[in-house]
Structure formats: C-alpha cells, structure tokens
Amino acid sequence: MIGINFVCEEKGFLQSLSLDIELSSTNIAIESFDFDNNSFDDLADYIDFMNFDEYVFFGLENPQRLIRVVNYLQTLVETPVKFITKKSAAKYLNKQELDLIFKKINTLSKLNVNEVFSQGYHCFQTNLYPLSVRKGLLKHLKVDNLSLFLQENKGLLRYFGINSAIYTDQDQKENLPIIYLNSNKLEAKFSEYQFQEPQKTLLENINNFIHTGKVKEIEVPLNYGTLVGINKFHSLYFHNRKFYLDNEYRFNIGISGDSYQNIFNNASLITIPIKLPLVLKQLYPILININKTYKDAKFITAYNNATLPACETSSYDWIGFESNSKKMVFNLPTQRFFEVNTLYLKLI
C-alpha cells in the first residue's frame, strides 16, 4: 500500500489536506495527518504501524520546509518516504484524478499564517496552550545558541510538533525540519503586551479574586502557565546549555544533552507554593482579558465568593460581571457577551 499525503505550505506552516476522492488504484490511499497536534515521532510511528510500502508527500504551491521534513522523517523510519509535485505525480495518479484533486483544493479556504504565528508566540510567552494540545508535545523552543543546541540535543527534535517553531536571533544556517522564526522581530512586535509579574504576587492576586471578585491584572503575565503550575511541557528555553520553563531562567529542568524523558520528568515535578483549584487557574487568564476590555470589572462566578461559597470542581459555563454600570455575562463555550439586568446577574 502507498500512502499519499497532499500538503499545502505557506511560510513553513504545513497543512495536510483531507480529500475524499475515490481512486482507480486499490494500492493507493489518500492520507491526512494532523500536523498541529502530533510530533515527528508520532508520524513515524504511524507510518511504521500502517506498514506502507511507500509514504509520499505531494507538495502543493511552494514547498520548502516540507522537503526538509521528508528528509528528516526518512531518518526515523525504514519505509521509503518521498516528496513529489504535480510534475512527478504520473506514477501514482492519472490526469483525471489529478484534475479532480486540484479542483477540490482550489475550493479550500486558507489559514492566516501570520495570525497563527502570532497566536503561537503568545502561547509560548504565557505558557498557555489550548487544552486540546496533549501534554508533552513540544511546540516552541527559544535558543541562545542554535548550533550548540543541535550539536548536543538533535535527538529532541523528534518530539516536537510537526508544526512547531524555534525562536532565535541567529541567521538560519541549519537544515531544520521545524519552523524557524526570528525572536528579535517577534519580541519587538509584542513588546507592549509583555507583562512580567512575580509568582508570589500573581498567586496572591488569584487568591484575592476568590474573596473579592476583583482581578488586578489587565495583561496575562509572561510564564503564567508555569507560575501557577499548569505548564504541560509545550515550550522550552535553551540558555547557557541549560533548559528552562520560563524566560527569567528560574525553573531549570535539565542540562544540554539530557534525554527528552528526563527533561519532561523534571518539568512534571515543578510545584507552586499556594494551592488553587485547577479550574480557576485555567479560567483566570480569561478574566484578565475581560478586565482589560471592560475595566475594573467585578466578577460573579462559581469560583469566587460573590453570592455563594466558591466551588472547586464546577464546570459552569457562565461568567457574570459588573463594569461601569453595565451588567454583563460571558458564555465560555460560545465566547459571546450579553448585557443583562441585575436580577439575572444575581441568578448566576
């Protein structure tokens, strides 16, 4: 069996297309793979498990990083991994099939890749990632010496997400399978949103929210996920031959040359000095963003002592708050705001 994966690439970001097309050959299967939520190691395991005779990546538009990904994958599996374009596709697909495939591809909407990169950098800075990203999948790495990192830690690359990024101020000279982004340019772009807060102050402010319903921050602090103990090992800093979880280099979790498992285990041992409910630690950044927009909001939620004692395990979907004489509710699943009256707010 031959697997063919159709891949769009823009600025290094890869999208595996899901195409429901019937082929004349029973020996060829059109494949799709989630590049955002799987690592190179996951893809290698999948190719091995499916026992393909060949695994082929069909590069669309302007493939550059895809070629490097194919070359890197070939070092991880024995199955032949190949890269083709429309010009070299005749071996696998006939003209009618290719025309149908490209007709479907032209109807697909494109991602705003610059927005994806911006969101990714914000996740990296705050150590806050979507809950759908599984624990231990490395998404972002910032290095002070790229050549040294690769010389001593190249084995870590297989555990990075296929769509992951490395941040460095050095010129790209290495043949990396992951996305390369200039850290200086990104830091300049996001400088006005960078807010550093001591761990002690942040934890005290969250505890204060439980009793008063008031949030003091208007920006999510850098390293938030690490500071409150919900870091799931999606990002790393490599500085002076050591690995850290934060940009202040306080949470050291390994040295250059350590195995992935050793670094992961050390990251899992990080604890925080104040016990707080997990659901509140996950919710607090949302409250900060609401507070930034609505100014000096007072919140009524299931997680603070507004009208009833705070609950630690509730999965309640509504957040109520008052701000500038407005009474509002926010629905978490739909991410929508509604203006309400005093009675409704009390019922929250």
Side-chain angles (χ1 to χ4, degrees):
M1 178 68 72
I2 298 172
I4 298 186
N5 198 323
F6 289 83
V7 181
C8 281
E9 176 175 342
E10 184 178 350
K11 298 182 179 179
F13 188 84
L14 305 179
Q15 282 182 274
S16 176
L17 304 182
S18 181
L19 301 172
D20 185 18
I21 293 174
E22 208 170 300
L23 302 178
S24 57
S25 173
T26 57
N27 193 44
I28 295 177
I30 293 182
E31 289 284 308
S32 180
F33 199 80
D34 185 351
F35 292 155
D36 296 327
N37 295 303
N38 287 289
S39 66
F40 294 104
D41 196 55
D42 294 328
L43 181 51
D45 283 346
Y46 172 75
I47 292 172
D48 282 338
F49 174 77
M50 295 298 290
N51 199 27
F52 288 108
D53 298 311
E54 289 180 32
Y55 199 84
V56 179
F57 288 92
F58 193 124
L60 304 166
E61 297 175 340
N62 185 32
Q64 294 181 26
R65 184 171 79 94
L66 179 59
I67 297 172
R68 302 197 300 272
V69 167
V70 169
N71 292 335
Y72 179 65
L73 268 175
Q74 190 62 84
T75 69
L76 304 181
V77 297
E78 293 184 5
T79 302
V81 182
K82 299 181 179 179
F83 168 81
I84 64 170
T85 62
K86 191 173 183 179
K87 291 180 181 178
S88 53
K91 177 183 175 183
Y92 305 96
L93 303 163
N94 62 42
K95 185 178 183 304
Q96 185 178 2
E97 289 167 341
L98 280 172
D99 289 344
L100 181 59
I101 286 168
F102 275 87
K103 187 177 179 181
K104 284 208 168 192
I105 288 170
N106 290 334
T107 65
L108 299 175
S109 58
K110 291 187 177 181
L111 280 176
N112 183 335
V113 174
N114 288 331
E115 181 64 26
V116 171
F117 288 162
S118 294
Q119 290 174 353
Y121 190 66
H122 182 69
C123 289
F124 169 69
Q125 287 195 304
T126 59
N127 303 155
L128 282 172
Y129 288 79
L131 295 178
S132 59
V133 182
R134 65 170 171 79
K135 186 174 183 178
L137 178 66
L138 290 168
K139 295 288 289 181
H140 302 105
L141 165 74
K142 186 174 181 181
V143 300
D144 62 350
N145 189 322
L146 181 56
S147 298
L148 179 63
F149 168 79
L150 291 174
Q151 180 183 333
E152 300 180 347
N153 305 279
K154 204 163 188 177
L156 292 179
L157 292 180
R158 68 186 300 151
Y159 302 106
F160 277 81
I162 298 164
N163 274 333
S164 56
I166 189 165
Y167 304 120
T168 178
D169 58 6
Q170 297 172 289
D171 293 332
Q172 184 179 8
K173 297 177 182 177
E174 307 291 346
N175 212 19
L176 289 173
I178 60 178
I179 299 167
Y180 171 95
L181 294 172
N182 186 283
S183 58
N184 288 339
K185 291 180 180 178
L186 285 165
E187 285 171 11
K189 182 179 179 181
F190 290 94
S191 59
E192 63 180 294
Y193 306 110
Q194 293 186 357
F195 168 53
Q196 202 92 46
E197 185 172 33
Q199 183 184 43
K200 183 173 184 251
T201 304
L202 172 61
L203 296 176
E204 286 175 351
N205 286 348
I206 298 175
N207 194 52
N208 179 69
F209 160 79
I210 295 174
H211 300 290
T212 66
K214 302 285 285 185
V215 172
K216 295 185 178 181
E217 295 86 357
I218 58 170
E219 294 287 353
V220 179
L222 299 177
N223 313 306
Y224 176 88
T226 299
L227 296 177
V228 302
I230 56 173
N231 186 309
K232 291 189 175 181
F233 197 57
H234 300 315
S235 57
L236 280 175
Y237 292 82
F238 181 73
H239 179 73
N240 287 342
R241 301 186 70 197
K242 292 182 180 180
F243 289 103
Y244 297 89
L245 288 177
D246 66 306
N247 73 328
E248 293 186 295
Y249 312 123
R250 292 179 55 224
F251 296 90
N252 174 226
I253 55 170
I255 61 172
S256 187
D258 277 354
S259 68
Y260 166 85
Q261 196 60 55
N262 188 60
I263 299 170
F264 175 82
N265 289 343
N266 289 338
S268 301
L269 295 175
I270 299 292
T271 59
I272 63 169
I274 298 177
K275 185 180 178 182
L276 294 167
L278 174 62
V279 65
L280 178 55
K281 291 187 282 189
Q282 294 169 337
L283 178 69
Y284 197 70
I286 298 174
L287 303 180
I288 292 174
N289 289 327
I290 293 174
N291 194 46
K292 179 179 179 178
T293 301
Y294 285 91
K295 312 299 181 191
D296 200 33
K298 183 173 182 180
F299 291 92
I300 300 172
T301 76
Y303 316 110
N304 67 300
N305 304 323
T307 54
L308 294 170
C311 176
E312 293 194 7
T313 58
S314 172
S315 57
Y316 197 56
D317 291 336
W318 293 91
I319 296 170
F321 62 93
E322 294 182 75
S323 174
N324 297 328
S325 75
K326 281 188 175 183
K327 296 169 177 61
M328 307 286 293
V329 293
F330 177 68
N331 183 259
L332 289 166
T334 65
Q335 300 285 291
R336 294 181 63 190
F337 290 94
F338 302 92
E339 190 164 358
V340 296
N341 57 35
T342 302
L343 178 61
Y344 190 90
L345 198 61
K346 286 183 178 179
L347 292 174
I348 290 286

